[in-house]
Amino acid sequence: MTTDLTIVAGDEIWDALGAAASGVLGARRDSDGTVCVLGPDIALGPEEYVLRKEDGVTVVRAGSAAGAFRALTRIRRGDHPADVYRDAPAHPWRGLMLDVARWFVPVEELIVLIDQLAARRLNVLHLHLTDDQGWRIPIPGWSRLTEIGAWRDGTTTRGAPIEGAPDPRADDDWGHGHRHDGVRHGGHYTRADLERVVAYAAERFVTVVPEIDLPGHMQAAIAAYPQLGVGAPDLPVATRFGLGPNLLAPTTEVERFIGDVLDEVCDIFPGTHVHVGGDEPRLETWRQDPVSIARAAELGLPDTDALRRWFVDIAASRLRGRGRTALYWYDGEVLSEEAIAVSWLADDGGVAAARRGAQVITADHTRTYLNYFARDDDTNPFACGIVLDEARAARFRAVPEMTDDELAGAFLGGQAQLWTEYAPHREARESLLFPRLDLIAEALWNGGSHP
Ligand code: ACM
């Protein structure tokens, strides 16, 4: 039997829906006549709803509070395709990744961003919490990660190039050779901050997916604890961008470190997915290190290159023990049989991962990296890379164009990315996010055919 519950719409809807999530519904009607009927056992998908306008009253039926929330988001936009319609997202995973490692993003900005995501019916905020340029999450027993790893002595900036440095638009330097400002900056969240962000997001049906990027992109952690890195190098937190040679050492102490970090991550973030990076390790570093060569042999690996998979596997297996599924950046190599591939390859890049049995989230860099220039003549000082214009963003499809229709089910959805190399503050970040995020969010909700 269906239990119909009427909940308030209009200005108080957000509170009411928060209450809906915890099962304490009121029975009120909005002044504009909108009535939301929530029947937990209606045969509708997790975010699906049916909307009907009748005699000046808008009635929404949804099978879950998330469905009702999505309907009311659309009502708020005044966007009604018909008097009666059924609406559901094309993809369950509709996200934005935000890089809070290269620049610390204050909690208040994350709170605003969560509202911006919810308004666009996005349901994942993936936080890239660690990288060479910063470590943002406190880990008990490893206090130097935030004491040392959360601060860097300046950054490269765009603007007038350093004399003799390559033009970032003319080659693959990507602006890394530009000026260095020498201004110390950084910051980190407290556990309470992160719990607040998670709770605020959950009330808006957005899941926060944390990322700890390993075994490369670890210079901030190695600056804090040199013994974590191959050769125990004495390094600062990185002040430039681009790929460094530093990698985690394949030692038992590093295994303990990864376990401690992921346990704390699982304690703070209740979502079912945790991203463990896996991207761009400089394999040369392990190849030349006698300790890594010996450990790879002891582990029975064919060579040190296989340590990349080994690191992702130990992280994925730790997460499995905590009931979570790992995600990793897919750039052509399936790094774990049990983890989900987030493919940042262009075009149909993720199809090969799907053919090999992986579940895939599409993050095609040529259509979703919002730090890229928005036009050929873009003078935005906070952008870098190649050109991703609005038309291209609008053509983003989570299921890449491909002939094998039976593989479509392997694609869970997609996400936009905001890497923050040259985006030090909110205004900069918003200048990159919008309007291209609107177009990607629309494509994720509607699916769409291939143009
Ligand atoms: C990436 O752009 N390295 C995921």
Side-chain angles (χ1 to χ4, degrees), residues 17 38 46-49 62-71 205:
L17 285 169
L38 183 64
E47 294 179 277
E48 191 173 15
Y49 61 90
S64 69
F69 186 86
R70 300 299 172 219
F205 303 94

Side-chain angles (χ1 to χ4, degrees), residues 18-35:
S22 55
V24 201
L25 280 174
R28 287 156 57 192
R29 173 184 285 214
D30 183 36
S31 55
D32 74 0
T34 302
V35 173

Side-chain angles (χ1 to χ4, degrees), residues 54 199 250 261 289:
E54 263 170 12
V261 170
D289 174 48

Side-chain angles (χ1 to χ4, degrees), residues 129-130 135-146 188-189 191 194 212 225 256-265 268:
L129 288 165
T130 68
W135 184 283
R136 306 293 176 215
I137 175 173
I139 305 295
W142 298 87
S143 59
R144 287 168 61 89
L145 289 172
T146 43
H188 65 85
Y189 305 109
R191 180 173 171 146
L194 293 168
I212 304 296
Y225 294 98
R256 182 173 68 81
F257 165 73
I258 292 171
D260 288 354
V261 170
L262 294 179
D263 280 354
E264 180 67 4
V265 163
I268 296 175

Side-chain angles (χ1 to χ4, degrees), residues 48-278:
E48 191 173 15
Y49 61 90
V50 177
L51 187 145
R52 181 184 298 273
K53 278 178 145 183
E54 263 170 12
D55 304 329
V57 176
T58 304
V59 176
V60 170
R61 277 196 313 123
S64 69
F69 186 86
R70 300 299 172 219
L72 288 154
T73 303
R74 191 159 191 171
I75 291 168
R76 279 200 148 188
R77 291 198 326 198
D79 163 20
H80 293 296
D83 281 349
V84 180
Y85 64 92
R86 194 176 184 122
D87 197 14
H91 306 293
W93 189 286
R94 306 182 308 280
L96 170 72
M97 185 227 69
L98 177 67
D99 169 11
V100 298
R102 291 187 172 82
W103 289 93
F104 178 63
V105 177
V107 170
E108 291 311 324
E109 186 178 330
L110 295 182
I111 294 291
V112 171
L113 181 63
I114 288 163
D115 282 331
Q116 290 168 331
L117 300 188
R120 288 160 181 78
R121 296 178 290 181
L122 294 171
N123 63 358
V124 170
L125 173 59
H126 163 181
L127 288 181
H128 183 77
L129 288 165
T130 68
D131 212 306
D132 296 320
Q133 292 82 9
W135 184 283
R136 306 293 176 215
I137 175 173
I139 305 295
W142 298 87
S143 59
R144 287 168 61 89
L145 289 172
T146 43
E147 285 161 14
I148 306 289
W151 301 89
R152 60 184 173 124
D153 288 332
T155 188
T156 40
T157 62
R158 290 193 57 241
I162 306 169
E163 198 168 334
D167 177 349
R169 303 289 301 276
D171 60 24
D172 66 356
D173 180 74
W174 295 62
H176 302 146
H178 277 208
R179 288 184 306 204
H180 192 263
D181 68 3
V183 179
R184 185 171 164 80
H185 72 89
H188 65 85
Y189 305 109
T190 64
R191 180 173 171 146
D193 288 337
L194 293 168
E195 286 170 344
R196 177 177 165 219
V197 168
V198 165
Y200 190 86
E203 284 167 12
R204 285 146 187 86
F205 303 94
V206 172
T207 302
V208 182
V209 173
E211 178 182 353
I212 304 296
D213 197 351
L214 58 83
H217 290 282
M218 268 282 164
Q219 189 168 325
I222 295 168
Y225 294 98
Q227 71 271 26
L228 297 177
V230 170
D234 184 12
L235 292 165
V237 176
T239 58
R240 294 183 173 274
F241 304 115
L243 282 182
N246 301 290
L247 297 179
L248 289 180
T251 60
T252 49
E253 181 173 7
V254 170
E255 286 183 70
R256 182 173 68 81
F257 165 73
I258 292 171
D260 288 354
V261 170
L262 294 179
D263 280 354
E264 180 67 4
V265 163
C266 289
D267 285 350
I268 296 175
F269 297 93
T272 48
H273 295 82
V274 175
H275 201 301
V276 298

